[in-house]
């Protein structure tokens, strides 16, 4: 078999299985690691870059008799182990439940793949499970604004159903995090979670990634499951679903309606029970108007539609998020934000949303590791668009977006408490005007809005 074809197979497996909720480790026929996902690293205590291309016996204190990967590779038969105890070369003792099978293409064994679930006693197992799931729960989605509470409430309600969900939000608003949280709070939490960015699929391969292929379907085709099949019993997150061609959208719609898929080259359909959580970074009405998405697919995947607000619509959440990032990346430092840093954070529009805010705070902490107080100047210098070299531009942005308290009060009084008119006069969003009115105690609850 052509080495390039085999290499493409391993690459696709790595991309698809990176976000699987179980450990995945695959080796080629020489025993070298070709696929090693994030969860497997959490189980073993390795980073993927420490493992890839390494022989299985370099990584674990195993031999040809005790290695399930090696056994499946050499016998050509699956191996089911209820409990395997092994020691990684880094000294970690690991107890897992393994399922291992050879990887076969066109009748030729090209390697072996293993799925591993950690097995620990009592509370230790619960703690291990919690470490994997904790990052993806609703508790980790921070926000006290009305817009964010509304989105979280709807997402939690959606998690209690088995309906498809459509997440609509700009880049960086946390769509994948919401998808994970919905999965983890649902009855499907013990099933797989696969995340795919439809815009990142190579041209012409969307159908094979979604539905899979069968040997003989086209030149070089191999037996390979698609993500709809791999996610059966769990959740499939399709980001930028509008990036798929109309033809593929039509086939996805049929698959969701019928609960079955036709892999390319297959002679019969394959049943699938994957819950789809789709996401778009453009408003659905705009996507339909521009012909980016079929309306019938939108109705199907949008049984429950959830709008994830951008940061500019929830400025009161920015200090909460910034302080959380200080704790996350501060490595135990008691770093705090200065008053001018808080003013800068709440005045900037954050077009990259939470992702932009997170990276700015993280970079500032890294650039000034000795600082106990992060200032506005540090944050500007850590921001790629406001960095030193164009400091006046950064200052102009901050001033334009942050009217003085006196200006806010005057605009509020001139508009007789109408927040929309006051915001328009100041050239800011209504949400930001509402935030400043609350901060200054301007009595928004008793005045007309």
């Amino acid at each position: 078999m052509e080495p390039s074809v085999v290499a493409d197979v391993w690459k696709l497996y790595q991309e698809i299985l990176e976000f699987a909720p179980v450990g995945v480790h695959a080796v080629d026929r020489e025993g070298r690691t070709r696929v090693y996902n994030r969860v497997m690293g959490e189980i073993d205590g390795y980073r993927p870059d420490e493992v890839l291309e390494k022989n299985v016996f370099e990584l674990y204190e195993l031999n040809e008799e005790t290695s399930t990967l090696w056994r499946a590779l050499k016998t050509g038969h699956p191996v089911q182990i209820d409990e395997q105890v092994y020691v990684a070369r880094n000294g970690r003792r690991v107890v897992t439940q393994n399922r291992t099978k050879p990887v076969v293409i066109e009748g030729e064994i090209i390697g072996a793949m293993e799925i591993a679930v950690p097995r620990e006693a009592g509370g230790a197992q619960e703690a291990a499970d919690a470490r994997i799931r904790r990052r993806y729960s609703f508790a980790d989605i921070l926000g006290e604004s009305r817009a964010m509470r509304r989105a979280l409430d709807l997402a939690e309600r959606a998690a209690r159903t088995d309906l498809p969900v459509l997440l609509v939000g700009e880049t960086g608003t946390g769509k994948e995090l919401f998808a994970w949280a919905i999965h983890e709070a649902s009855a499907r939490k013990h099933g797989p979670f696969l995340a795919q960015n439809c815009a990142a699929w190579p041209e012409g391969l969307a159908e094979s990634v979604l539905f899979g292929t069968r040997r003989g379907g086209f030149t070089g085709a191999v037996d390979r499951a698609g993500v709809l099949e791999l996610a059966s019993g769990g959740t499939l997150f399709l980001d930028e679903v509008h990036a798929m061609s109309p033809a593929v959208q039509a086939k996805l719609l049929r698959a969701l309606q019928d609960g079955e898929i036709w892999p390319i080259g297959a002679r019969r359909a394959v049943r699938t029970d994957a819950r789809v959580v789709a996401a778009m970074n453009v408003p659905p009405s705009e996507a339909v108007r521009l012909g980016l998405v079929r309306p019938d697919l939108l109705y199907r995947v949008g049984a429950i539609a959830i709008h994830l607000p951008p940061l500019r619509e929830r400025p009161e959440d920015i200090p909460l998020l910034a302080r959380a990032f200080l704790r996350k990346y501060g490595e135990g430092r008691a770093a705090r934000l200065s008053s001018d840093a808080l003013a800068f954070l709440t005045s900037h529009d954050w077009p990259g949303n939470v992702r932009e805010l997170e990276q700015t705070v993280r970079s500032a902490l890294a650039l000034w590791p000795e600082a106990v107080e992060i200032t506005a100047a540090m944050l500007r210098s850590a921001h790629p668009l406001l960095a030193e070299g164009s400091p006046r531009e950064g200052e102009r942005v901050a001033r334009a977006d942050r009217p003085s308290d006196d200006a806010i009060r005057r605009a509020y009084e001139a508009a007789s408490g109408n927040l929309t008119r006051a915001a328009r006069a100041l050239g800011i969003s209504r949400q930001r005007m509402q935030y400043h009115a609350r901060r200054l105690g301007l009595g928004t609850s008793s005045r007309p809005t």
Side-chain angles (χ1 to χ4, degrees), residues 235-301:
T235 303
L236 174 60
F237 174 57
L238 293 176
D239 196 8
E240 298 194 63
V241 68
H242 55 287
M244 291 188 294
S245 70
V248 176
Q249 289 183 29
K251 293 180 180 180
L252 173 61
L253 175 62
R254 174 57 64 87
L256 296 178
Q257 290 173 338
D258 298 345
E260 61 182 25
I261 57 176
W262 283 86
I264 300 174
R267 296 182 178 179
R268 58 179 178 271
V270 176
R271 297 294 300 174
T272 181
D273 178 35
R275 181 194 197 178
V276 169
V277 176
M280 300 170 60
N281 56 19
V282 295
S285 58
E286 184 75 359
V288 170
R289 186 182 68 81
L290 295 174
L292 299 176
V293 66
R294 293 171 57 106
D296 47 3
L297 177 63
L298 191 62
Y299 301 145
R300 183 74 187 186
V301 300

Side-chain angles (χ1 to χ4, degrees), residues 165-181:
V165 177
L166 176 64
L167 301 173
V168 182
E170 298 175 6
T171 298
T173 50
K175 295 186 289 295
E176 185 171 337
L177 181 57
F178 263 79
W180 260 110

Side-chain angles (χ1 to χ4, degrees), residues 317-380:
D317 289 337
I318 293 175
L320 175 70
L321 289 162
R323 292 187 178 106
F325 296 142
L326 282 180
R327 293 190 297 271
K328 180 178 179 179
Y329 298 112
E331 299 179 348
R333 292 160 55 188
R336 61 182 181 272
L337 295 166
S338 68
S339 59
D340 71 329
L342 283 170
F344 164 74
L345 290 172
T346 54
S347 68
H348 184 56
D349 263 347
W350 301 108
N353 293 293
V354 178
R355 187 179 296 133
E356 179 189 353
L357 172 63
E358 180 176 13
Q359 190 56 54
T360 300
V361 173
R362 183 179 187 179
S363 297
L365 286 168
L367 288 170
W368 286 274
E370 74 290 346
V372 295
E373 185 173 72
I374 301 300
T375 66
M378 294 176 184
L379 292 170
R380 288 195 187 98

